[in-house]
Amino acid sequence: MENEPVKLLFVCLGNICRSPTAEGVMRHLVEEAGIADRFDLDSAGTGSWHIGDPPDRRSTAAAAARGIKLDGRARGVDGGDFEHFDLILAMDAYNLRDLQAIAPTDESEAKVKMLREFDPMSTPDDYDVPDPYYGGPDGFDHVIDLVEAACRGLLDDVLAGRAP
Ligand code: 4NP
């Protein structure tokens, strides 16, 4: 439908570090562009350990340092997500594999992509957003750099009609 928002789901393992960061960065970009009402953004995890938790405070701090707010509570990906969303954006190859395994139909599996495919500077051997959970603060900053480049590319593609 013409006025339907573009529905994007960002997915990582825990839904407390990378995917809430990607959601927050994308929301920041579309708000900055004055087009937030054209998007339906959410994030989810393939794992269930952190369901109900807020974003990791290290992710929240790294984002806040760049004026980006993270919110929401962790939830698991479910079958309805494959129905609802236009694109399901995996942060790494494990997330991609897990999403492909639970996609209920071929059509919904085709909605699953790596987020960094949309970074024009990235290459297929370098599509992962590395998991920062067990590392130091630099990892959280690096996540923002990677997801911001990819989200800018994704937004350009959406606005140009190349995605979803
Ligand atoms: P995320 O990071 O997938 O970017 O949210 C992780 C968070 C928690 C765990 C692993 C990764 N964990 O093993 O609890």
Side-chain angles (χ1 to χ4, degrees):
M1 234 195 318
E2 185 90 358
N3 294 320
E4 279 282 298
V6 176
K7 305 182 196 78
L8 305 174
L9 182 68
F10 300 91
V11 175
C12 62
L13 180 60
N15 191 209
I16 55 170
C17 300
R18 292 166 292 174
S19 60
T21 299
E23 179 191 349
V25 165
M26 195 64 171
R27 182 161 288 118
H28 184 80
L29 292 177
V30 298
E31 282 175 356
E32 209 170 49
I35 53 175
D37 57 335
R38 291 170 56 186
F39 291 83
D40 173 354
L41 306 176
D42 198 4
S43 63
T46 58
S48 53
W49 311 282
H50 293 281
I51 287 174
D53 290 352
D56 188 289
R57 58 169 63 88
R58 297 166 294 174
S59 295
T60 303
R66 303 193 197 196
I68 297 164
K69 192 169 176 291
L70 304 190
D71 49 24
R73 296 274 168 173
R75 71 171 181 87
V77 182
D78 65 41
D81 290 324
F82 288 91
E83 199 51 52
H84 179 77
F85 288 96
D86 301 313
L87 275 181
I88 300 179
L89 298 149
M91 298 297 128
D92 67 28
Y94 295 111
N95 311 147
L96 181 77
R97 184 201 59 195
D98 290 344
L99 287 164
Q100 287 169 337
I102 61 171
T105 63
D106 288 350
E107 191 189 6
S108 59
E109 188 176 334
K111 296 177 171 182
V112 182
K113 311 251 191 222
M114 296 287 279
L115 174 64
R116 293 193 66 217
E117 281 182 41
F118 294 92
D119 178 350
M121 301 300 285
S122 190
T123 51
D125 61 342
D126 181 32
Y127 278 164
D128 283 357
V129 179
D131 184 349
Y133 190 70
Y134 292 106
D138 288 359
F140 290 83
D141 256 342
H142 187 50
V143 165
I144 304 189
D145 291 337
L146 296 179
V147 303
E148 183 178 344
C151 285
R152 285 188 188 281
L154 173 56
L155 183 55
D156 285 348
D157 278 6
V158 168
L159 295 179
R162 292 188 294 263

